Amino acid sequence: MTTLPGLEQWNPAQLTPSEIFWRDHYHFLKDRGYTLRMRYDPDWIPSWINASKEWLDCEDAIHIPVRNVHDYREVPFPDFPFVEQNYQVLDASRPDGSLVVLKRVDIRYRNEIRILNHLSSEPFASNPRNHCVPVLEVINPPEGSHTAFVVMPYLFKVDFPPFETIGEAIGFFKQVIEVVAVLFISVRHI
């Protein structure tokens, strides 16, 4: 098995604690039209097990490292900079093949969903200064759970592709300032 610095103790065939959450909700989300990557299917068998591929060459080896720096039990390799992602969001696909992002949200703190829905509704949705990611759908939690799922379009990271001109960077910061203004105005109306 191939190893990289910092990965000696990590088993790519084992789900991390944060990934187990997504595996446990795989069928719930699939019943609502959202398919997670095969790694989160409860019947998943790593594709490199019965193949001549290295695990680094397989899509289902991509995992979600946990960002909680205070709990190193869950951080498989905190110094490996190439896979940093937030465990509360995960990509999924719809039946039409489009990619979306699912964000898990604790409904006991309802303000987040209220604010996101507010910014995705009129008149804020059509405001040209509103650069917030729109909410496509909110999936209510399964019975006995406090976790809802906010569905949003799949977007690139803010720094990909990297800025190539000063004008691009200035445009980005102008949009950030516009978002802050829209948020300030919208919070007064919630």
Side-chain angles (χ1 to χ4, degrees):
M1 181 179 290
T2 304
T3 60
L4 294 173
L7 295 179
E8 296 84 7
Q9 302 299 318
W10 183 64
N11 178 359
Q14 183 178 352
L15 297 178
T16 65
S18 59
E19 291 178 306
I20 291 170
F21 169 87
W22 292 103
R23 180 205 59 202
D24 292 348
H25 289 83
Y26 182 88
H27 291 295
F28 173 78
L29 293 165
K30 189 167 182 93
D31 291 345
R32 280 143 188 86
Y34 298 97
T35 304
L36 305 179
R37 284 184 270 136
M38 65 178 160
R39 179 176 180 86
Y40 305 106
D41 185 329
D43 299 323
W44 173 62
I45 297 172
S47 62
W48 62 90
I49 299 290
N50 297 320
S52 60
K53 292 182 180 179
E54 290 285 332
W55 66 269
L56 285 169
D57 296 327
C58 299
E59 181 272 336
D60 60 330
I62 299 172
H63 76 293
I64 304 172
V66 178
R67 288 182 145 177
N68 183 354
V69 296
H70 302 294
D71 186 1
Y72 282 35
R73 290 177 300 115
E74 291 186 12
V75 182
F77 39 91
D79 298 324
F80 191 64
F82 304 110
V83 290
E84 184 179 359
Q85 293 182 22
N86 190 329
Y87 70 95
Q88 295 197 4
V89 297
L90 189 67
D91 58 296
S93 60
R94 291 175 140 179
D96 65 2
S98 62
L99 290 177
V100 294
V101 169
L102 303 173
K103 179 178 184 186
R104 58 189 263 198
V105 177
D106 190 327
I107 61 167
R108 293 174 287 190
Y109 311 105
R110 290 196 172 263
N111 284 342
E112 183 173 2
I113 293 175
R114 263 188 32 230
I115 291 169
L116 289 171
N117 279 332
H118 184 71
L119 291 169
S120 294
S121 64
E122 293 300 334
F124 296 103
S126 59
N127 185 335
R129 296 181 306 156
N130 181 359
H131 304 286
C132 297
V133 178
V135 172
L136 302 175
E137 179 182 4
V138 174
I139 301 172
N140 291 320
E143 187 73 31
S145 172
H146 297 292
T147 303
F149 298 91
V150 177
V151 182
M152 299 175 282
Y154 185 88
L155 304 173
F156 289 110
K157 285 186 160 191
V158 70
D159 60 350
F160 181 81
F163 299 129
E164 293 186 4
T165 67
I166 293 174
E168 289 175 348
I170 290 171
F172 168 76
F173 287 109
K174 180 180 179 236
Q175 290 180 27
V176 169
I177 291 167
E178 289 176 345
V179 166
V180 170
V182 168
L183 288 173
F184 179 75
I185 292 167
S186 67
V187 167
R188 290 186 1 215
H189 291 89
I190 294 181

